[in-house]
Amino acid sequence: MSILAFLRDNAPWLSAGVLLTFLSGFGQTYFISIFAGEIRESFALSHGQWGGIYTLGTTASALVMVWAGGLTDRFRVRALAPVILVMMTGACVFMALNPVWWLLPVVIFSLRFTGQGMMSHIAVVAMARWFVAARGKALSVATLGFAIGEAFLPLIFVSLLLVYDWRMLWILAAVVAILGIPLLMLLLRRERTPQSWAQTSQSLGMEERHWTRRQTLGHFLFWFMVPALLGPSAFNTAFFFHQVHFAEIKAISHVELVAMFPIYTGVGIGAMILSGWALDRLGTARLLPFMQIPMVAAFVLFAFANGPGMVLLGFMFLALTTGANSTLPNAFWAEFYGTGNLGTIKAMAAAIMVLGSAIGPGITGVAIDLGIGIETQYIFVAGYFVFTTVMMAIGVARARPLLSLAP
């Protein structure tokens, strides 16, 4: 099937995926961190204190995701997603109206759980379950919402910050979130695959069976993947979380920095589409081990950048992994462990990634307070991604023969 025919025949479901991933942006670090300066000033917080609050709230959301993510195995998207959108609307209003610093961990928990956690999770599980032969293309298209949000939400809201109070902008975010509900219901008047079909899906995993979450936890490949699950979430989050500080030490304005986001997004979209195309032809086993190599180059460039040009080049390398990360890991779980219990398995992986996004800002914020510069930290981050690449290569090489073995 040509890509145009694929888009035409599946437009409602793919559009629902784009909408969900876009709306997840209000709980993503790239959006919350826009207001880092205003939040720290309003509540008199240091970098380490703000990072610690962010870590606490995000860690709590990761723990809840282990349970809540399994709801995607029990409820249809059109039933579950509107509930999460109502909760996200409330979280945005909570941020706007919160008067005290000690409620910030609860605010962050609410935003991270509904946005980065559940909205993202619902979207990618739906694509991986609804599509089998065209899973790569479906994930590439649906996760365009992430890219669109990264490209335009920071630019729009940083510009609005020049005119409007930051709390009013969170009310605007709440309005956008709640308006997503009727649009989503319109797109999903007829859902592609009833949940009851999940157990009889032909998309089996290793040893030609559907794996349970307990079996997945006991399998060696899962643990070889854990560092790679933590890494991008932790250090992408840390980078965007400290974007205001990063701009200051690189002697560029914040607006100048966020103006690079659309280029970052454009490269990410290209990498996303290319990885989805390659995924449908080559499978995740051949592609996954190479996915995080561009992160090494990105953080070396961020560490040594002495002008906007090197920073922009770093963004482009970062985007290569970010784009591939939208498709390859999400397809990996379905390909290696089957779709019968995909929601619960993917929830476990999502919880690890959310935990990573909690650890990253906390560690880097405390390190800044201790006098370890962000540029020095990024050299060690680059080394970490060399380690994750080696771990994925070993794990996938050992597990790949199991894809063709019957029990």
Side-chain angles (χ1 to χ4, degrees):
M1 179 185 296
S2 71
I3 185 64
L4 291 178
F6 174 75
L7 293 174
R8 182 191 64 241
D9 294 345
N10 297 284
W13 306 293
L14 294 172
S15 298
V18 172
L19 178 64
L20 291 171
T21 54
F22 172 77
L23 292 175
S24 77
F26 298 122
Q28 301 280 6
T29 299
Y30 69 76
F31 184 79
I32 299 172
S33 62
I34 291 169
F35 307 95
E38 286 73 18
I39 292 172
R40 288 179 52 243
E41 182 180 353
S42 297
F43 298 102
L45 301 172
S46 70
H47 287 290
Q49 289 170 331
W50 170 227
I53 287 170
Y54 201 79
T55 295
L56 182 61
T58 305
T59 301
S61 73
L63 296 174
V64 176
M65 272 298 299
V66 175
W67 166 79
L71 295 175
T72 54
D73 287 334
R74 299 172 55 192
F75 298 99
R76 298 180 183 215
V77 174
R78 68 170 180 245
L80 184 59
V83 175
I84 301 300
L85 279 171
V86 170
M87 294 171 64
M88 175 184 283
T89 301
C92 292
V93 173
F94 193 5
M95 175 64 92
L97 301 181
N98 174 42
V100 291
W101 71 266
W102 48 267
L103 280 177
L104 279 175
V106 184
V107 177
I108 297 302
F109 163 79
S110 304
L111 289 168
R112 300 294 275 161
F113 172 70
T114 57
Q116 186 207 22
M118 286 301 292
M119 291 298 290
S120 302
H121 177 68
I122 292 169
V124 298
V125 168
M127 294 304 108
R129 178 169 284 149
W130 288 346
F131 299 89
V132 178
R135 183 176 289 138
K137 287 196 288 287
L139 285 166
S140 293
V141 173
T143 53
L144 282 174
F146 291 130
I148 294 168
E150 286 179 337
F152 297 109
L153 289 178
L155 196 56
I156 292 169
F157 277 79
V158 168
S159 300
L160 290 174
L161 263 177
L162 300 174
V163 181
Y164 298 101
D165 181 72
W166 69 275
R167 294 181 184 272
M168 289 301 300
L169 297 184
W170 278 103
I171 296 295
L172 176 60
V175 171
V176 174
I178 202 69
L179 289 176
I181 295 177
L183 180 55
L184 182 69
M185 298 304 289
L186 178 65
L187 292 170
L188 294 181
R189 287 175 297 176
R190 180 172 63 89
E191 192 158 334
R192 181 180 174 91
T193 306
Q195 183 276 336
S196 59
W197 291 7
Q199 294 298 327
T200 59
S201 169
Q202 296 301 308
S203 186
L204 302 171
M206 292 177 290
E207 300 177 352
E208 295 296 317
R209 61 188 172 97
H210 293 297
W211 291 64
T212 66
R213 180 154 67 180
R214 177 173 293 184
Q215 291 168 339
T216 302
L217 275 171
H219 191 251
F220 70 86
L221 180 57
F222 175 81
W223 298 103
F224 274 86
M225 286 295 298
V226 166
L229 293 172
L230 283 170
S233 183
F235 298 115
N236 269 28
T237 299
F239 178 80
F240 285 103
F241 185 79
H242 294 297
Q243 62 181 267
V244 175
H245 177 64
F246 181 76
E248 290 173 354
I249 63 174
K250 295 299 180 182
I252 58 180
S253 70
H254 190 198
V255 172
E256 188 178 5
L257 182 68
V258 299
M260 299 179 188
F261 288 8
I263 299 173
Y264 162 77
T265 300
V267 176
I269 290 172
M272 185 191 313
I273 294 170
L274 181 61
S275 65
W277 174 85
L279 169 62
D280 289 338
R281 286 156 179 78
L282 303 175
T284 56
R286 294 180 181 177
L287 300 173
L288 198 68
F290 303 101
M291 181 181 66
Q292 294 183 0
I293 292 175
M295 298 287 275
V296 179
F299 280 96
V300 168
L301 284 165
F302 289 146
F304 294 103
N306 56 10
M310 289 183 69
V311 172
L312 181 59
L313 186 59
F315 268 119
M316 294 172 73
F317 276 106
L318 190 69
L320 293 177
T321 293
T322 302
N325 202 53
S326 298
T327 57
L328 296 181
N330 294 318
F332 162 82
W333 300 109
E335 184 173 331
F336 277 80
Y337 295 102
T339 57
N341 302 292
L342 184 61
T344 55
I345 293 172
K346 182 66 176 63
M348 189 167 53
I352 292 171
M353 290 187 285
V354 174
L355 179 62
S357 68
I359 293 171
I363 291 176
T364 52
V366 170
I368 291 171
D369 284 356
L370 292 175
I372 303 173
I374 199 74
E375 294 166 306
T376 301
Q377 293 182 47
Y378 286 164
I379 296 172
F380 289 99
V381 171
Y384 177 84
F385 284 111
V386 173
F387 167 71
T388 63
T389 297
V390 172
M391 289 291 286
M392 282 192 291
I394 295 172
V396 170
R398 287 184 58 193
R400 189 174 175 182
L402 299 177
L403 287 172
S404 59
L405 293 179

